Amino acid sequence: MVVAGCGSSEDDGSASPATTTSEDTAAADTTAPDTGDRETDDTTASTAPATSQPVDGEAADDPACAPLAEPASIKISALQLLPYLPVHIAEHLGYFDEEGIDLTIENLRSSEALPLLGQGDIDYMIAPVSAQLFNAIDAGVELRWASPLNTANPESMNGLWVKAELFPPEEDEFDWTKMKGRTMVSSTGHGGVLTYVAGPHMLEAGMSIDDITALAMPSADLIVALENGSVDMAWAPSPFWERLVGNPDFRFVEGFPPEPASDIGIIAGPSMSDRPEVAAAFFRALMRAIEDNLQGGDYLEDEASRQLIAEAVGLEEADLDVEAPNLFDPRLDPGDLEAFTRNQQVMIDLGSLLEYDEPIPVEDLVDLRGLDAARECLS
């Protein structure tokens, strides 16, 4: 696995991994194939079954479903965290090689990756949608949402947690007016997940973005800030929320909406706008890796799978002790794309987040050509 960059490991999603060095990466790559026939040792064979097959014989014979005739290079920003797992697994086990893609993974936070994406220095970034993304598109930067990556686990309590003194046990619903003049924190601050999860409730309570202070800090630090009383509410990503479960000083308020467009997704830069066949090959590799290795929510229970995942992502096995891991759909179903319109409208209504007054049409925000072509090819 090629891991470049030195960005912080904290972002919306998961635990901070051990740093992966180039020597570690080279060692990990010794298990990856050099050709289209994946070979694994005994510890990984059970987690890398045969490649998923096309839908039917007609699709199998379709030249559009064949690996790229000419190898193509792709650079993607994907943190070494569990929500980004499909990209790391697909690279580690040679799925991208099979499709003719030379993949480089940059370990960058979304705030670092976004300008590089707009400049064409990287081709994809993995991140939740944000006000920064919407504003860049409105300014004419050719960025497009290209695919979902994971979906919320209904058993997870990855989301907003608040001091119990503001949400006592006898209350069934949180009174958002109690947040006036108080501080919320996430790894992205204003304009990200805090906004489109908390935003609708704030608007119902007659609040604006000016009624709260929203801060950004690394995921591990924001839990400490909540525990020591420095902030009143925090977005606790996996697995950090598990530290709060059972603690009477805090209560869970709400998690991600059950719609792929509001969770972590894959954003394409201008360098991918005229390479739909390369995008299709990229998504075929990703979908097959999910189908073969990450089905359901029990992929962290098998010891061989845990070893494979820890090696592929550059994590310690202790980082994989997650009660409700991220879920990955092998079809990468984009779901209800009108979520983008709703999220923009919330940001507009809250004020001071977007630099425009009307939501950007969905067709100007997304480019599903590569994903749609891959979905047609694969079962």
Side-chain angles (χ1 to χ4, degrees), residues 29 84 95 124 127 166 200 202 204 252 289 340 353 360 366 372 376:
D29 274 345
Y84 306 79
Y95 288 85
Y124 287 118
L166 299 176
M202 293 173 59
E204 288 178 6
F252 177 69
F340 292 125
L353 291 172
I360 300 170
V366 305
D372 287 344
E376 289 180 7

Side-chain angles (χ1 to χ4, degrees), residues 26 36 45 50 58 73 80 84 118 130 144 170-171 192 221 228 230 241 261 297 307 349 355:
E58 182 178 348
S73 296
Q80 292 169 269
Y84 306 79
S130 66
R144 296 293 184 267
E170 62 270 17
E171 295 182 5
D221 294 345
N228 67 23
S230 300
W241 60 264
Q307 292 178 5
D349 293 343
E355 298 169 358

Side-chain angles (χ1 to χ4, degrees), residues 211-234:
D211 289 320
I212 63 166
T213 298
L215 302 177
M217 63 178 63
S219 297
D221 294 345
L222 63 84
I223 299 298
V224 174
L226 183 63
E227 290 174 331
N228 67 23
S230 300
V231 301
D232 303 290
M233 177 179 283

